[in-house]
Amino acid sequence: MNPAQRAAATAPAPVLVLAGAGSGKTETLIRRVADLILGGEPPDRLLCITFTAKAASEMRRRLAALLGPERTPRWVGTFHAVMARLLIEDGAGIPGLPRGFAILGQSDARELLMQAAGTQDRKAAGLLQEAVSLLKNGLVTNPRRLPRSAALSRFEPEVLAQAAAVLPAYRSALAGRQALDFDDLIALPVAAMRADPALAAHWSARWAEILVDEYQDTNHAQHALVRLLAGKPGRVFAVGDDLQAIYGWRGADVAHIRRFGKDYRTAPPALKLETNYRSSPTILRAANAIAAEDPEALPKLLRPADPKAPPGPSITIREALTPEDEGRGAVAWLKALRRRQPELPWRACAVLVWAGFVAEPILAALRQAGVPARLVTDREPEPPKEVLAVIAWLRLAMSRSRGSKPGADVWEPTADDAFRRACAFPARGIGGALFGRLREHAAERDLALAAAVATLPATPAERQGLEAVLGVAGEIADGVARQTLGPADALRLAAEASEIAERLGPDGKLGHAWAAALRAAEHAGSVAVYCDGAALGAMPGEAEPADAVQVLTLHRAKGLEFDHVLLAGLEEGVWPNWQAEQQGAIAEERRLFYVGVTRARHSLQLSWVRHRRDWASKPSRFLAEIPKALTEAGVVSGRVKVSRPASRTTAVQPARPVKPPTQAETDRLVAEFTARKAAKAPR
């Protein structure tokens, strides 16, 4: 590590590490964990929080390679995953937390919300679900008192009023299902710790240090959770970059990272990682110029790792007459790259856009020209149920400990969710009523669901179905122990024993997902490490991408890097978009531009369209923030004067200014909504 990384890895907590793009922040965090463990800190005393399951999986893999499986921390995962485990392991007695609770995915939660709201309109329900989620993440305790936030300002007052009105009914529906949604996994523990200081002290004492990656992306609930778990000593190691804070629209607040020193008074000034190991000096100079336009940004200056490195190619700014011309320009750019570098993989090149409609004509042009292209969507697909079921069978099996007498096996309650999934797939006739009785029986006796089967009053058919599940899990556990299998072979055994293997063909979407899960298992090091990661949602695996040009939005591209990058659609009204301007979010739009620029290693091209759909466009104001000396000669002369389009019709429509409703407006709208719902209810 360089001196700045070493200083960050060894500084006493609390400490904020301000890590610029491409500065090796993940390596610094991993080295800190390794130093703590090698220095005598028990692995279970460290809590490492990331924002994606993919990042958590990568962190666990690298820690296992560095420390060995036996010293790899168990508590490495996303906010939601680590809190789900904490509630399962140590949440008994928390008000509002059902024993053996289920965790609803987004689609199941939306269905329940639709029932509570009395609507069949899925599009409206999706918008309502976003608003409800923001209210929960904002820790709203009184639906009639809505907080003012940038995230809520993008909703019409009527939508916020409906969300506030339906929230109590939705919470009741979740309680009736003995379930939590993803937002509850954070909001419920925060509420419990605020109400019970003894619980907060108990949970805080579990960890010697809390390490949080991407700290700038925390929302109100996550920020409150970290502060409560850190306790008075404030044992927090936070890594992030305020210039990469691009999720304000979903509740993240860049102020959390910028006021770290006020939240943790004993913290020293932020340590900075400014040495960039990714981009050319030209790209870094452009990024620094963009950052300088934000007066509130924490001071930081990206520098190349090699001071003598050549500057690299100039940044190209291209004007296109139409979106179709922009697409043809992308084809010409890619083919020129391949002529200069015949061995260049297509996947080393990326087209990044603000919104999907900008990508459509570019994708069409690439495919028409025979250039392989892969559209990467903003929403990561959930692994198929067959793959998740195999993982659940293995987790259930590994939760068993042999008893001293036959039939006296011990089952850990941390695998209750795995037992539930194993009962459901493949189907064995274990219905909801039977499972509900089992859950109540287990809660009364403080047992794991699997352990409660032995004493559950049940018919012979019901008992046969439940015991069959435990029998298969026992076969898997015995096979893993007898053959001393690694995680990938243990997964294969679980697939065979559960009779799911025959569904996992080598080809097609399901086969690719299964192959990805096996690849992820191979990196885990041991079955125990793999099961711990899977319990935290970090090990399902990701399919190997084909060799194709990656086309994706900026929000999806965060955390990625490519040799050559094209940022497309840089027009006023598109990027920055009109909604952001109306809502005062230009600073976040600039940070999105900064993120796009810093994805590129070697070359960067920027394009804008003169006539986007039905109006005449102007180049984005952000283009003028790149110094002229860094751009290709003759493409841009001087600073670009920016003005609004004279006319516009549809497509990217301007949002009218919307402010959160006042208290009086909220009371009126909630009352009106409740009255309308009551009037429509059957008598």
Side-chain angles (χ1 to χ4, degrees):
M1 291 192 291
N2 64 40
Q5 291 172 328
R6 169 52 59 192
T10 56
V15 63
L16 169 66
V17 179
L18 193 61
S23 62
K25 68 178 180 63
T26 303
E27 180 67 16
T28 303
L29 194 152
I30 287 171
R31 290 287 180 169
R32 181 180 182 89
V33 173
D35 278 0
L36 288 168
I37 292 173
L38 294 174
E41 196 67 66
D44 277 3
R45 293 270 292 153
L46 300 178
L47 172 61
C48 306
I49 304 176
T50 68
F51 270 83
T52 67
K54 180 181 177 182
S57 179
E58 174 65 11
M59 188 178 295
R60 294 180 67 89
R61 183 189 70 78
R62 291 170 65 174
L63 284 169
L66 193 63
L67 296 167
E70 68 284 352
R71 289 195 289 189
T72 300
R74 294 171 60 236
W75 292 89
V76 179
T78 64
F79 271 99
H80 298 100
V82 298
M83 292 313 299
R85 166 176 268 181
L86 183 61
L87 290 174
I88 291 169
E89 287 191 4
D90 200 15
I94 290 180
L97 181 67
R99 175 64 190 269
F101 60 88
I103 301 173
L104 298 187
Q106 289 293 90
S107 58
D108 290 337
R110 188 180 302 117
E111 293 289 339
L112 198 63
L113 181 61
M114 289 171 66
Q115 295 174 21
T119 180
Q120 298 297 318
D121 187 335
R122 292 189 172 275
K123 185 176 180 180
L127 191 64
L128 182 62
Q129 186 178 33
E130 289 182 37
V132 167
S133 177
L134 286 171
L135 294 181
K136 284 190 168 188
N137 287 322
L139 302 176
V140 175
T141 55
N142 183 352
R144 294 181 178 274
R145 294 189 178 277
L146 299 182
R148 295 183 178 274
S149 72
L152 290 176
S153 69
R154 62 191 177 93
F155 292 95
E156 297 287 347
E158 292 79 5
V159 175
L160 292 177
Q162 185 183 10
V166 80
L167 190 53
Y170 175 54
R171 284 176 168 148
S172 296
L174 283 167
R177 288 273 295 270
Q178 292 190 299
L180 306 180
D181 64 15
F182 283 152
D183 302 318
D184 290 327
L185 294 172
I186 310 297
L188 186 63
V190 169
M193 284 189 285
R194 285 179 169 177
D196 184 358
L199 175 66
H202 169 66
W203 276 353
S204 176
R206 291 181 65 117
W207 291 289
E209 187 164 303
I210 301 170
L211 302 96
V212 187
D213 196 10
E214 305 288 6
Y215 194 75
Q216 76 280 353
D217 293 337
T218 53
N219 61 33
H220 183 53
Q222 292 162 344
H223 177 251
L225 178 71
V226 171
R227 295 199 66 188
L228 286 163
L229 291 179
K232 289 185 178 179
R235 303 174 302 270
V236 176
F237 178 80
V239 184
D241 181 4
D242 62 327
L243 287 171
Q244 297 187 66
I246 59 174
Y247 295 108
W249 52 275
R250 70 181 188 194
D253 190 345
V254 69
H256 295 155
I257 191 170
R258 289 177 173 170
R259 69 171 187 233
F260 186 89
K262 294 182 179 179
D263 288 337
Y264 302 94
R265 298 285 184 177
T266 60
L271 304 180
K272 300 177 185 179
L273 302 184
E274 299 174 299
T275 301
N276 179 282
Y277 294 92
R278 176 190 301 161
S279 304
S280 72
T282 292
I283 292 170
L284 295 183
R285 287 180 62 193
N288 288 331
I290 296 164
E293 296 290 333
D294 185 348
E296 296 183 3
L298 298 173
K300 180 176 70 279
L301 193 67
L302 295 179
R303 301 181 181 89
D306 181 3
K308 298 181 180 179
S314 298
I315 296 170
T316 304
I317 302 178
R318 299 293 184 194
E319 173 189 346
L321 186 62
T322 67
E324 291 71 26
D325 288 335
E326 187 174 47
R328 286 187 283 270
V331 172
W333 166 67
L334 289 162
K335 289 188 173 181
L337 288 172
R338 293 271 287 196
R339 281 195 300 271
R340 291 194 295 269
Q341 298 175 263
E343 303 302 319
L344 178 70
W346 289 115
R347 63 173 168 266
C349 307
V351 178
L352 309 183
V353 300
W354 188 95
F357 71 85
V358 175
E360 292 169 5
I362 297 175
L363 273 170
L366 295 178
R367 290 166 178 165
Q368 185 176 2
V371 175
R374 172 176 177 253
L375 178 63
V376 183
T377 60
D378 284 345
R379 189 166 294 177
E380 294 186 36
E382 183 175 322
K385 65 177 182 180
E386 293 86 352
V387 173
L388 292 176
V390 174
I391 296 171
W393 277 102
L394 180 59
R395 285 186 53 221
L396 175 62
M398 301 312 294
S399 76
R400 187 203 68 174
S401 301
R402 275 295 192 189
S404 57
K405 299 179 181 179
D409 293 346
V410 177
W411 300 85
E412 293 295 329
T414 53
D416 278 357
D417 60 320
F419 179 73
R420 184 186 301 107
R421 192 180 288 273
C423 287
F425 192 84
R428 283 181 166 79
I430 301 172
L434 171 59
F435 205 86
R437 284 164 39 213
L438 175 64
R439 183 161 42 202
E440 292 176 2
H441 183 73
E444 290 171 358
R445 288 157 180 78
D446 196 25
L447 295 172
L449 294 176
V453 170
T455 55
L456 176 71
T459 66
E462 290 174 335
R463 183 164 300 282
Q464 181 179 5
L466 292 170
E467 290 180 347
V469 171
L470 299 183
V472 171
E475 290 177 18
I476 297 169
D478 292 341
V480 171
R482 184 174 58 253
Q483 303 174 54
T484 60
L485 298 179
D489 287 332
L491 267 186
R492 293 186 181 96
L493 175 62
E496 292 288 346
S498 62
E499 301 180 352
I500 300 175
E502 58 194 36
R503 305 169 188 251
L504 303 171
D507 300 319
K509 183 177 179 180
L510 185 55
H512 290 317
W514 175 236
L518 292 174
R519 279 196 303 273
E522 289 170 355
H523 292 305
S526 73
V527 176
V529 169
Y530 180 82
C531 289
D532 277 338
L536 296 181
M539 289 294 189
E542 187 172 87
E544 190 73 27
D547 187 21
V549 176
Q550 311 291 294
V551 181
L552 61 168
T553 66
L554 270 298
H555 291 98
R556 185 68 175 84
K558 186 170 177 290
L560 304 179
E561 56 185 69
F562 305 92
D563 286 351
H564 307 281
V565 169
L566 165 63
L567 301 184
L570 277 156
E571 302 109 44
E572 287 291 307
V574 176
W575 189 0
N577 66 55
W578 290 114
Q579 288 88 343
E581 181 153 30
Q582 299 284 3
Q583 296 161 6
I586 292 298
E588 182 159 317
E589 293 286 287
R590 179 179 289 106
R591 294 195 293 268
L592 197 63
F593 185 50
Y594 176 89
V595 167
V597 167
T598 54
R599 296 313 92 195
R601 295 191 189 100
H602 304 312
S603 77
L604 176 64
Q605 181 159 144
L606 315 173
S607 69
W608 67 283
V609 171
R610 176 68 65 182
H611 296 283
R612 176 76 65 181
R613 294 189 173 175
D614 296 323
W615 69 80
S617 303
K618 297 290 185 182
S620 169
R621 69 193 70 181
F622 300 144
L623 294 176
E625 296 178 2
I626 297 179
K628 180 183 174 183
L630 303 179
T631 62
E632 187 173 298
V635 177
V636 171
S637 57
R639 295 182 68 85
V640 181
K641 185 179 179 181
V642 174
S643 60
R644 291 192 181 188
S647 63
R648 56 185 183 270
T649 55
T650 180
V652 186
Q653 286 289 345
R656 64 183 177 86
V658 177
K659 294 181 179 179
T662 63
Q663 187 60 54
E665 289 173 329
T666 300
D667 292 344
R668 177 180 60 78
L669 290 167
V670 168
E672 290 177 357
F673 175 79
T674 306
R676 287 197 302 271
K677 187 174 179 182
K680 293 179 181 178
R683 299 184 181 277

